[in-house]
């Protein structure tokens, strides 16, 4: 009989910290609200990077992007990297990943071979024969696309065919040279995140959100027949744009009820020049788009009515995910696993829905982008119904999971075990979080230090930066970087920043002799 704790990580992609019914009555997430009642909600959790690949790689390695190697999207996480999955698997755990991975780029070349690129993504014969191991996960079932993107394939496409949808390609954007009959219209002048038609003809029971939930249930059911403990990452793709989802979720929320964020007149006058450029038509970001596009370095001017429609769909996507989370919670109860399962719910990074005049994501380190939802449930160990302001980081997940499994925390890791905080033994184990954002070899390249009260952001080049007082200015409208009145605070924070980076250095090898 298994007496080790099971570990279940449930994540979304690009979820704003307010997209949670427990903190926002405008959105309905009854199952996540249930988790909040049964566990502890951490309101000051942060991502180590506001971009998918580096943040996700930090989640499974316990290292910051500058150390694990996958420093931005389009960069491969080395396959020989030690992960939480490989460490748990070596100690008797069955490990699984269902849903989105995004550890590898959409292109493949010698030395950077990628399974997450075409034509491999749609080579279903390959995926029928490959379910791992991969990055320490003994069993994988993957899908690389968001919404109707052409990156669809892998195990999800196989499942679609098993469900009888042999023409699944027709519901997704075409590959070059293909045609599509049911994919929503992207529109000629729409940004990448938008769709003219936000309601998707793909039936909800064939959507990848339902697939991720369904396959997670299958993993749990199989594991119930085994004696060894498990680590499962149920990795949901949404509410990441494009904003398109099947009914009833597409029309679940009325756009007229949505209240997107807004730009405060003059607020970007105190920020670096790239902030103000987002409010121009056709801004020049040429130097930052080298060698590849820098996400968010473009015009963010966007119709307010269109943003309200997008926000309504974003909420619908999140409510759809919540339903599947509920099915997973019910399955844990049905199988008698809930009492012995450490469950963490979170996301990989945040999202802009009009705040500061911004949409989606980019090199703008506001709380909307860096702060994330996090809920921890572990019956009889984690306090139920508690709300904590103890600072958390996704880089802490790997050491915390290893600690919970009784394996200790390897000195090679940069993250800290949050188990003493989660189990209410101590108030905090860290007083700061770091967030790295290197999107091209040159620029944008910035790092933020988030303390209990202040946040400061430094850039690789330029004399600009950001300094916000999160107590007095929680909406971050007043950048104090150049304020003479904040000069002493800035100097002290820069010292804290450097010391925080030094404290986070890993010990790759132990010292074993005097020389």
């Amino acid at each position: 009989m298994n007496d080790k704790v099971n570990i279940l990580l449930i994540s979304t992609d690009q979820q704003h910290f307010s997209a949670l019914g427990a903190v926002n009555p405008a959105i309905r997430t009854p199952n996540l609200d249930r988790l909040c009642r049964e566990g502890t909600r951490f309101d000051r959790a942060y991502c180590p990077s506001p971009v998918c690949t580096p943040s996700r790689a930090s989640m499974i390695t316990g290292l910051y992007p500058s150390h694990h190697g996958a420093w931005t999207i389009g960069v491969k996480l080395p396959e020989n990297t030690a992960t939480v999955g490989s460490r748990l698997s070596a100690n008797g755990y069955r490990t699984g990943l269902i849903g989105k991975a995004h550890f590898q780029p959409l292109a493949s070349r010698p030395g950077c071979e990628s399974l997450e690129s075409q034509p491999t993504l749609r080579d279903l014969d390959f995926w029928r024969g490959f379910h791992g191991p991969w990055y320490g996960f003994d069993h994988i079932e993957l899908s690389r696309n968001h919404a109707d993107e052409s990156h669809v394939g892998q195990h999800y496409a196989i499942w679609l065919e098993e469900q009888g949808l042999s023409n699944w390609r027709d519901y997704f954007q075409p590959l070059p040279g293909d045609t599509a009959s049911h994919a929503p219209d992207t529109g000629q002048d729409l940004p990448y995140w938008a769709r003219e038609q936000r309601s998707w003809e793909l039936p909800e029971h064939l959507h990848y959100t339902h697939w991720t939930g369904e396959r997670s249930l299958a993993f749990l059911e199989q594991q119930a027949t085994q004696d060894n403990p498990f680590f499962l990452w149920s990795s949901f793709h949404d509410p990441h744009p494009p904003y398109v989802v099947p009914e009833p979720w597409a029309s679940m929320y009325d756009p007229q009820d949505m209240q997107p964020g807004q730009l405060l007149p003059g607020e970007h006058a105190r920020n670096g020049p790239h902030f103000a450029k987002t409010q121009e038509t056709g801004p020049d970001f040429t130097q930052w788009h080298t060698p590849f596009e820098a996400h968010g370095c473009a015009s963010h001017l966007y119709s307010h009515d269109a943003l309200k429609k997008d926000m309504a769909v974003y909420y619908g996507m999140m409510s759809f995910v919540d339903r599947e989370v509920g099915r997973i919670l019910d399955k844990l109860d049905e199988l008698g696993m809930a009492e012995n399962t450490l469950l963490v719910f979170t996301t990989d990074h945040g999202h802009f829905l009009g705040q500061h005049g911004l949409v989606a994501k980019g090199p703008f380190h506001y709380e909307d982008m860096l702060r994330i939802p996090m809920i921890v449930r572990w019956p009889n160990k984690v306090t139920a119904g508690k709300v904590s302001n103890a600072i958390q980081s996704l880089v802490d997940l790997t050491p915390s999971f290893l600690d919970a499994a009784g394996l200790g925390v390897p000195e090679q890791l940069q993250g800290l075990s949050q188990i003493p905080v989660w189990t209410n033994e101590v108030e905090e184990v860290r007083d700061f979080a770091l967030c790295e954002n290197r999107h091209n070899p040159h620029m944008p390249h910035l790092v933020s230090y988030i303390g209990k009260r202040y946040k400061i952001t430094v850039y690789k080049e330029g004399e600009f930066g950001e300094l916000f007082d999160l107590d007095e200015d929680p909406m971050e409208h007043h950048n104090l970087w150049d304020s003479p009145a904040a000069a002493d605070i800035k100097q002290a924070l820069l010292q804290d920043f450097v010391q925080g980076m030094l404290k986070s250095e890993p010990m790759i090898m132990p010292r074993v002799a005097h020389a």
Side-chain angles (χ1 to χ4, degrees), residues 447-467:
V447 183
S448 291
Y449 173 94
I450 308 106
K452 292 182 178 180
R453 176 171 178 176
Y454 297 99
K455 176 168 63 182
I456 190 167
T457 301
V458 177
Y459 293 77
K460 178 180 178 180
E461 297 181 2
E463 297 182 359
F464 51 85
E466 292 102 56
L467 169 56

Side-chain angles (χ1 to χ4, degrees), residues 46-50 54-55 58 64-65 348 393-395 434-437:
Y46 291 90
C47 63
S49 173
S55 191
S58 290
Y64 286 102
D348 55 358
S393 173
L394 293 180
V395 79
L434 295 175
C435 182
E436 304 176 348
N437 190 349

Side-chain angles (χ1 to χ4, degrees), residues 175-193:
L175 293 172
D178 291 344
T179 59
S181 57
H182 299 293
D185 184 8
T186 59
Q188 293 184 349
D189 300 317
L190 293 176
Y192 77 91
W193 64 77

Side-chain angles (χ1 to χ4, degrees), residues 431-449:
D431 57 5
F432 70 92
L434 295 175
C435 182
E436 304 176 348
N437 190 349
R438 185 180 187 182
H439 211 48
N440 267 320
H442 179 59
M443 283 283 275
H445 189 174
L446 55 155
V447 183
S448 291
Y449 173 94

Side-chain angles (χ1 to χ4, degrees), residues 396-432:
D396 298 334
L397 290 184
T398 285
S400 299
F401 292 159
L402 295 176
D403 193 10
L407 302 179
V409 180
E411 292 183 334
Q412 298 95 328
L413 304 188
Q414 295 179 280
L416 305 173
S417 172
Q418 293 281 355
I419 293 298
V421 179
W422 294 354
T423 57
N424 221 23
E425 296 176 26
V426 300
E427 288 295 318
E428 62 183 27
V429 295
R430 62 162 65 247
D431 57 5
F432 70 92

Side-chain angles (χ1 to χ4, degrees), residues 62-64 66-67 395 409-416 430 432 434 436 497-509:
L63 301 172
Y64 286 102
S66 55
H67 283 75
V395 79
V409 180
E411 292 183 334
Q412 298 95 328
L413 304 188
Q414 295 179 280
L416 305 173
R430 62 162 65 247
F432 70 92
L434 295 175
E436 304 176 348
F497 198 156
V498 173
Q499 290 183 336
M501 296 182 73
L502 293 174
K503 292 175 184 177
S504 302
E505 288 185 357
M507 188 182 299
I508 304 301
M509 293 293 290

